[in-house]
Amino acid sequence: MEYIIGADIGTTSTKAVLYDQKGNVLEYANVGYPLYQDEPDMAEQDVEEIFEAVVDAITQVVRKSDVAAKDIRGVSFSSAMHSLILLNQEMEPITRSITWADNRAAKYSEELKTNGLGQKIYEKTGTPIHPMAPLSKLIWLKTEKPELFNQARYFIGIKEYVLYKFFGELKMDQSIASATGLFNIFDLTWDNLALETVGITVDLLPEVVATDYQFQGIKKSYAEVMGLPEDIKFVIGASDGVLSNLGVNAVDEGVLALTIGTSGAIRTVVDQPVTDPKGRLFCYVLSEGKYVLGGPVNNGGIVFRWVRDQLFAPEKETAAQMKIDSYDILTEMASTIPAGSDGLIFLPYLGGERAPLWDANARGTYFGLNRNHTRAHMLRAALEGIVFNLYTVLLALEEVSGSPKSIQATGGFARSALWRQMLADIFETDVTIPESFESSCLGAAVLGMVSLDMAKDLTVVKEMIGVTNAHHPNEKNYTAYRDLLPIFIRLSRQLSGEYKAIADYQRTH
Ligand code: ADP
């Protein structure tokens, strides 16, 4: 038997999982690191802390297992998207890693949107115009921190830094590149218009390679520390988002991966790059001939948490005393209310919204309240509103690709049978919950297995993951939702003219 490690460099921690060739998990390690927020809108991480966490996580899985090091064929990587690090002439970092959550470039992405240049660049790069992307961050740095910007010899992300430390070779994979906002997803090269807009030349960016690219010749000291053979191969891999599609077996045409954790997303794999004429969707590279099209939403399970904390504090306390899950009590309560919450609609935009609105000023709304509505209605309407919003992202997706035939759903929401059924009813599509642990690590491992000839192609993932639950649309429920959805959609459009006014009011009063 041969083995591989999938490592995911995430925003809060790095995870490493040791798999055998059949995808069975042998060992798991998770090493966390802090996020630095010294000023408003900042979200940075220390590059050395992350590098050490990567070494530590890999070391732990190798040392804990009784697998002989020589049977571990490789380590394959996943990482969070959109990070930016500046290296100087000596190839030393002169910034921390500026993560996707950093919002300091907001003014510059707004400018790109309003002057029309943003949409032109998006249509080549597939990265929505947003402060998260290195495109906006570079314009911000160049304008507001020119001394720092001008010292930079290279602009890279966290995965490039980690692999450079191991191998002394600076390479970026096409998947991470496709999330910088600077990479043309049609030509698979750095995009001239994006580079001109920032005012940089291509020699300041790393060489881009396919996601199955292999590194060999690891520095001896690192191989020793981690307990890996010196001839071990590392596979560059891709970004966490696209790899999680692979890791939940949502790579075939017509299969939608949907996740509702703290935030949420829908994603589907297409065989050629596509962009959205309205700029609402991302399109990122997974592997040769496979692109992931989708939209991220801010307002996922975090909205359920808000409803619990603000409207159901007594129930939360009782649940804590009885040592039961407060979310279980609440979903039980929501199940006493019929589908459609007797005509109460909730627009869940508590934290602004990315897809489909891309409006940081968006705010939440209860609409249709009457005297018969109870707290339980407000609860059910919130759960439904989160799914309605994801459904509107699907409508955008259907405009540029086909309709989904099935949904692979993951995230904390999937613990609730009520919420899973609601998803099947609102989307009118079969829903299955894959039994997949750390899907981005598994995705990285599968990509690595194919690169290292341990597996024939990406479809091997099908045999690696089971199914825990399946739900089919219920006619009575979807009929109720069909009549409510058009109102939700019209409302979210009609309110869009007022979001800035109310957000400005909230900022100034
Ligand atoms: P993260 O995205 O931060 O990794 P999770 O995937 O665990 O987090 O999702 C957390 C969210 O899942 C919570 O905010 C909550 O909305 C939802 N959740 C957690 N437990 C349950 C449950 N038993 N029933 C329904 N929803 C749940």
Side-chain angles (χ1 to χ4, degrees):
M1 185 64 93
E2 293 186 322
Y3 304 86
I4 189 164
I5 294 169
D8 175 31
I9 310 169
T11 312
T12 50
S13 64
T14 285
K15 292 131 214 154
V17 183
L18 177 67
Y19 297 96
D20 67 17
Q21 217 164 347
K22 297 205 163 88
N24 297 310
V25 174
L26 281 96
E27 289 297 342
Y28 168 72
N30 183 329
V31 183
Y33 25 76
L35 191 69
Y36 295 96
Q37 298 178 295
D38 312 343
E39 54 177 279
D41 290 335
M42 175 197 267
E44 293 188 341
Q45 289 179 319
D46 185 286
V47 291
E48 294 311 326
E49 282 175 355
I50 296 187
F51 180 73
E52 277 161 28
V54 173
V55 172
D56 190 6
I58 296 173
T59 308
Q60 284 188 37
V61 295
V62 175
R63 304 268 182 215
K64 276 194 282 186
S65 83
D66 8 319
V67 167
K70 67 170 180 29
D71 294 330
I72 302 178
R73 291 281 311 281
V75 183
S76 180
F77 283 85
S78 156
S79 90
M81 292 178 275
H82 314 303
S83 63
L84 177 68
I85 300 166
L86 273 55
L87 295 184
N88 65 11
Q89 293 287 350
E90 285 73 46
M91 302 298 274
E92 289 157 354
I94 51 172
T95 59
R96 291 195 284 217
S97 173
I98 309 172
T99 69
W100 63 271
D102 197 291
N103 225 4
R104 286 170 294 174
K107 186 174 142 201
Y108 302 93
S109 57
E110 254 338 285
E111 272 173 25
L112 283 176
K113 270 194 194 170
T114 42
N115 68 18
L117 193 54
Q119 178 65 18
K120 284 204 188 101
I121 297 175
Y122 160 77
E123 281 174 12
K124 290 162 181 290
T125 63
T127 306
I129 301 301
H130 189 270
M132 67 187 181
L135 166 74
S136 312
K137 288 174 183 157
L138 286 169
I139 301 175
W140 159 66
L141 282 175
K142 190 174 185 188
T143 319
E144 296 192 15
K145 298 181 191 282
E147 357 43 77
L148 192 65
F149 184 90
N150 290 328
Q151 278 178 57
R153 172 62 192 89
Y154 279 111
F155 301 110
I156 63 166
I158 189 62
K159 178 138 68 90
E160 296 69 67
Y161 181 73
V162 167
L163 289 164
Y164 179 77
K165 289 261 296 194
F166 283 135
F167 294 91
E169 214 185 303
L170 192 63
K171 296 276 189 317
M172 183 183 277
D173 71 73
Q174 289 174 345
S175 177
I176 288 290
S178 67
T180 59
L182 302 165
F183 188 71
N184 188 308
I185 52 172
F186 299 89
D187 304 347
L188 299 176
T189 54
W190 294 113
D191 184 70
N192 286 337
L193 178 63
L195 265 53
E196 272 167 31
T197 304
V198 178
I200 55 169
T201 46
V202 71
D203 58 306
L204 297 175
L205 295 166
E207 183 192 336
V208 179
V209 294
T211 54
D212 60 359
Y213 180 85
Q214 298 171 3
F215 292 85
Q216 210 175 357
I218 190 167
K219 289 181 186 155
K220 215 172 151 192
S221 56
Y222 293 128
E224 266 169 25
V225 169
M226 294 188 286
L228 289 170
E230 276 175 46
D231 62 353
I232 186 100
K233 288 179 176 162
F234 278 22
V235 178
I236 196 164
S239 76
D240 54 1
V242 303
L243 286 173
S244 116
N245 258 66
L246 176 58
V248 300
N249 185 25
V251 274
D252 289 343
E253 207 191 310
V255 183
L256 190 74
L258 179 145
T259 177
I260 307 178
T262 302
S263 57
I266 62 170
R267 302 188 204 91
T268 192
V269 172
V270 288
D271 58 11
Q272 43 193 333
V274 266
T275 53
D276 168 28
K278 297 190 190 125
R280 295 162 298 185
L281 304 170
F282 59 70
C283 184
Y284 300 138
V285 177
L286 167 58
S287 60
E288 203 189 338
K290 288 199 191 304
Y291 301 81
V292 175
L293 178 70
V297 306
N298 292 349
N299 298 291
I302 196 165
V303 173
F304 187 15
R305 196 166 76 196
W306 174 81
V307 171
R308 180 194 66 182
D309 296 349
Q310 301 308 323
L311 303 179
F312 293 88
E315 284 78 1
K316 185 181 163 188
E317 209 165 292
T318 312
Q321 279 161 7
M322 294 167 68
K323 295 197 167 36
I324 45 179
D325 185 343
S326 55
Y327 290 121
D328 286 343
I329 296 191
L330 295 191
T331 48
E332 185 68 42
M333 264 173 96
S335 69
T336 62
I337 305 297
S341 302
D342 289 319
L344 180 63
I345 291 176
F346 182 64
L347 288 105
Y349 307 125
L350 302 185
E353 190 48 293
R354 287 184 287 169
L357 310 177
W358 294 95
D359 184 354
N361 291 320
R363 294 291 181 268
T365 310
Y366 273 110
F367 179 78
L369 270 170
N370 65 40
R371 282 196 296 272
N372 294 329
H373 287 137
T374 61
R375 277 193 311 151
H377 284 88
M378 296 176 81
L379 168 61
R380 179 159 188 138
L383 300 179
E384 290 176 343
I386 296 165
V387 182
F388 285 163
N389 182 46
L390 281 160
Y391 183 76
T392 63
V393 184
L394 176 71
L395 294 179
L397 200 134
E398 283 178 336
E399 283 174 32
V400 290
S401 78
S403 302
K405 296 186 197 79
S406 65
I407 299 175
Q408 301 284 86
T410 55
F413 99 106
R415 281 175 225 147
S416 157
L418 174 82
W419 216 353
R420 295 192 303 262
Q421 183 61 40
M422 209 180 264
L423 173 64
D425 295 337
I426 292 172
F427 278 60
E428 290 188 40
T429 307
D430 286 346
V431 170
T432 51
I433 313 298
E435 189 178 24
S436 167
F437 171 72
E438 293 296 347
S439 56
S440 297
C441 286
L442 179 61
V446 170
L447 198 73
M449 284 185 204
V450 176
S451 171
L452 296 168
D453 287 328
M454 293 165 69
K456 67 176 187 339
D457 59 37
L458 302 181
T459 60
V460 293
V461 74
K462 288 193 174 77
E463 285 114 55
M464 295 181 179
I465 53 182
V467 168
T468 56
N469 284 289
H471 295 260
H472 308 288
N474 167 304
E475 191 177 348
K476 189 162 156 268
N477 294 347
Y478 67 66
T479 320
Y481 290 131
R482 269 188 199 173
D483 292 339
L484 208 54
L485 267 165
I487 310 178
F488 178 95
I489 294 165
R490 280 201 304 277
L491 259 184
S492 74
R493 286 204 195 120
Q494 283 169 5
L495 285 175
S496 67
E498 297 302 330
Y499 287 140
K500 187 168 176 336
I502 199 68
D504 282 348
Y505 180 94
Q506 291 173 357
R507 279 186 207 111
T508 51
H509 284 71

